[in-house]
Structure formats: structure tokens, C-alpha cells
Amino acid sequence: MPNLIEHAAEVSAALALKRLDHAAVILFPQYSRSRLQQWIESGALTVDGQQQKPKYKVRNGARLVIQAAADVSVHGPENISLDIIYEEDMFLVLNKPAGLVVHPGAGNASGTILNALLHHCPALEAVPRAGIVHRLDKDTTGLMMVAKTLAAQNHLVRQLQARTVKRTYEAVSYGQVPKVGRIDAAIGRHPHMRTRMSIQVGGRAAVTHYRLIQAYRYHSHVELSLETGRTHQIRVHMQHLGFPLIGDPTYGGTFRIPANQPDVMLLDCLKGFSRQALHAKKLAFQHPESLAEMEFFAATPFDMQTLLDLLGNSEGDVQGG
């Protein structure tokens, strides 16, 4: 059978009488808990040749066997250029441009990062989501990590879940942001506009840290780091704080004319800035095999740097972070 995942392990005395799903996590650490539970429920993970429930108590010496079909992408490879800044056998790091969707979906059946990855590395067909570990919004630029093996993907996902992956962004917003702060506000699906997220009591916990890099008269250059990774988190949190990102019509960053601003070039840049001014500039995590600390940087993209230069020339630097 092609693309078959096969593993076997024996339950030790230390694991005897543990739940099957708990023992499986320990015996097969290269796979996520949710994946192992799915295999148990489907019968792809058996105990002494028998299908059992996740809560089944395993005995000392029991033989756990996995025979499961690997997830194969139904999407095709496409020859789309990728800006890969680092690559090795287990993972790669790329610098995503604006306008490129990460996953195929409604309205974007092709022409995505996933399609490009399948062309770049055909073996990713056997890795869920072509190895993509985390997403960036379509019009957000910057660093993404991609696992090239199932073991690497599970390891990197666990780092995300443990909040040990360091993701640092830069943004340009309306208003003068305070020098430093922490936004702790739960995020959920907007109750009336399903393509948007919003601050909601009972939503999923979301924490963003921010630091002012440079304040201008009417705008701010800000550094942000994610403690959690909710959909549209930075954009929603900055709107909540009262400082929406320039170019983000979804969350209040539509063009507004600063008072007494005669600089036509700056006004044209602000008016024509067609995406949220958000860039994932730094990514740090542990190597999925050696556990060495890995750190990557991506320079400010041209459109944001142009905007920052015009702000500096026209509004002057008010204060730094």
C-alpha cells in the first residue's frame, strides 16, 4: 500500500493501566495527540491486533501497532517562485510576499504557497498541509516555517502549542502607540461578519506584546510579538487598542487624511497602501532534531520601508521605543 505509515511498540510496566491514548503519546512521540486519537478511533492503531477505545487501559507487554495511510495532498504542484531563505532536510524557512494565499480554499483553489511547495519539494505531498506549520494572512509578508517530514512537523507544532516559538512582527499604525504594553483580549469569530474576528468574552485566549519603535506625528512604527496565534490576532488587537494598521480596511485602517498634512507623496502612499502594513520579521524556534536554537530575520519589505521613509520625512520622528 503506497504512503503507508507503520510503527509498533510494546507497553512497558511503567505504562501499564494507562489509557491507550496517553500511552500512545509516549510510545509514538513523533505524532500529535489528536492524530493518534484519530488513528485509535478509526482502528489504524490497534492493541494486540484489536481495535480499542482511547480510554482503554493497556496492559504490560501489550503490542501497539500503527498501520495508517499517510495524508496525501489533493492539490497539485504549481511552478510559483518562493523566496526560501533557509533549507535543510527537515524544514525550510521562506519569506512570504504580500498577495499570496497560504492554503487553497474558497476563492483560492490554486496559486497558493501550498501549491508552490509541492512543486519545490514533491515529497511534501505525503506531509499534511504540505508541511505548513503556521499561516500568515494573504497580505501579511514575512517568515514562515515549513516542515519537510512528518516528525519535524509534529515537533514544530508542539513548539507552537507550548508557546516556545518566537514570532516577532513590525507594523505601521494610525495614532501614537504607547511605548510598551501587553494586550490580553480573547478573540472569536465575529457574530455577524463570518470572515472577520473580534474581541469576545468567551473567545479563545489571545495575548500580544508590543513595543514602540518610532512614533510620528500621526502614526507609529511598532514591534509586536505573539504569545498566542489566533486568526488576525495582531490586526484585531491593534484595532481594539485604538491603533488600526495602515491599509487594513477590515479592521479600521482605511485611509484618513492627517490634519495639516501638505505632503502629497505621503498622502498618496497612505491612500494607495493596499494591504495591512504588517510584516513577520523574526522567527526563532528549536531545531526539530538537534534542538539547537534557530533564528531567522527578514528585512522590512519595500512598500513598508517606503512608507516609513515618507513618514520620517514628512511628520518627523517624535520619539523612539
Side-chain angles (χ1 to χ4, degrees), residues 178-294:
K179 285 190 175 182
V180 66
R182 178 178 184 268
I183 309 168
D184 186 349
I187 292 175
R189 186 70 57 182
H190 194 287
H192 306 300
M193 293 173 281
R194 303 304 295 171
T195 59
R196 299 187 184 187
M197 308 302 286
S198 62
I199 303 299
Q200 291 188 24
V201 176
R204 301 182 70 188
V207 178
T208 304
H209 300 266
Y210 65 87
R211 178 184 69 85
L212 179 67
I213 298 174
Q214 190 67 57
Y216 304 100
R217 191 173 306 148
Y218 304 109
H219 305 88
S220 295
H221 184 199
V222 189
E223 181 180 274
L224 307 109
S225 61
L226 295 179
E227 191 171 310
T228 56
R230 309 305 177 207
T231 301
H232 300 175
Q233 179 172 317
I234 288 175
R235 299 163 64 190
V236 173
H237 273 176
M238 288 301 285
Q239 179 194 44
H240 175 67
L241 201 64
F243 305 105
L245 303 188
I246 289 171
D248 188 355
T250 304
Y251 297 105
T254 50
F255 173 65
R256 59 193 72 174
I257 301 176
N260 304 315
Q261 179 52 264
D263 191 321
V264 175
M265 290 182 65
L266 174 59
L267 292 178
D268 285 346
C269 185
L270 288 169
K271 188 174 184 179
F273 210 89
S274 57
R275 69 177 187 96
Q276 62 268 9
L278 181 62
H279 174 64
K281 70 175 185 178
K282 180 181 175 181
L283 182 63
F285 54 90
Q286 284 188 335
H287 190 284
E289 186 174 55
S290 70
L291 304 184
E293 295 296 329
M294 310 294 291

Side-chain angles (χ1 to χ4, degrees), residues 80-82 96-102 111-113 116 136-139:
I80 300 168
S81 178
L82 290 172
K96 177 190 169 302
L100 193 56
V101 175
V102 172
T112 70
I113 293 277
L136 291 176
D137 295 337
K138 175 183 177 182
D139 289 323

Side-chain angles (χ1 to χ4, degrees), residues 71-88:
D71 295 331
V72 176
S73 173
V74 298
H75 304 288
E78 295 182 49
N79 188 6
I80 300 168
S81 178
L82 290 172
D83 181 10
I84 296 174
I85 65 170
Y86 179 84
E87 183 171 14
E88 59 168 76

Side-chain angles (χ1 to χ4, degrees), residues 22-225:
H22 293 175
V25 168
I26 296 170
L27 291 172
F28 306 110
Q30 66 270 47
Y31 300 110
S32 67
R33 182 184 299 272
S34 61
R35 179 177 293 274
L36 290 166
Q37 287 176 330
Q38 289 171 4
W39 285 339
I40 292 169
E41 294 282 4
S42 69
L45 193 163
T46 58
V47 183
D48 294 326
Q50 301 294 316
Q51 182 176 355
Q52 302 291 353
K53 296 290 186 182
K55 64 181 180 181
Y56 174 79
K57 300 296 179 63
V58 295
R59 66 171 181 82
N60 182 24
R63 182 174 172 80
L64 274 55
V65 174
I66 297 172
Q67 288 188 312
D71 295 331
V72 176
S73 173
V74 298
H75 304 288
E78 295 182 49
N79 188 6
I80 300 168
S81 178
L82 290 172
D83 181 10
I84 296 174
I85 65 170
Y86 179 84
E87 183 171 14
E88 59 168 76
D89 290 343
M90 297 200 73
F91 69 92
L92 62 84
V93 176
L94 61 86
N95 185 14
K96 177 190 169 302
L100 193 56
V101 175
V102 172
H103 283 108
N108 296 285
S110 61
T112 70
I113 293 277
L114 185 147
N115 299 110
L117 286 168
L118 291 174
H119 181 271
H120 173 74
C121 181
L124 285 173
E125 184 183 37
V127 183
R129 301 177 300 282
I132 294 168
V133 176
H134 63 111
R135 302 187 188 196
L136 291 176
D137 295 337
K138 175 183 177 182
D139 289 323
T140 298
T141 58
L143 298 173
M144 287 179 55
M145 55 182 172
V146 177
K148 295 175 68 176
T149 69
L150 188 58
Q153 187 181 50
N154 287 321
H155 195 284
L156 293 171
V157 167
R158 283 198 294 273
Q159 289 187 53
L160 278 174
Q161 293 170 341
R163 301 183 182 179
T164 58
V165 175
K166 305 301 181 186
R167 290 172 288 171
T168 306
Y169 294 72
E170 62 177 324
V172 189
S173 73
Y174 284 102
Q176 289 191 354
V177 175
K179 285 190 175 182
V180 66
R182 178 178 184 268
I183 309 168
D184 186 349
I187 292 175
R189 186 70 57 182
H190 194 287
H192 306 300
M193 293 173 281
R194 303 304 295 171
T195 59
R196 299 187 184 187
M197 308 302 286
S198 62
I199 303 299
Q200 291 188 24
V201 176
R204 301 182 70 188
V207 178
T208 304
H209 300 266
Y210 65 87
R211 178 184 69 85
L212 179 67
I213 298 174
Q214 190 67 57
Y216 304 100
R217 191 173 306 148
Y218 304 109
H219 305 88
S220 295
H221 184 199
V222 189
E223 181 180 274
L224 307 109
S225 61

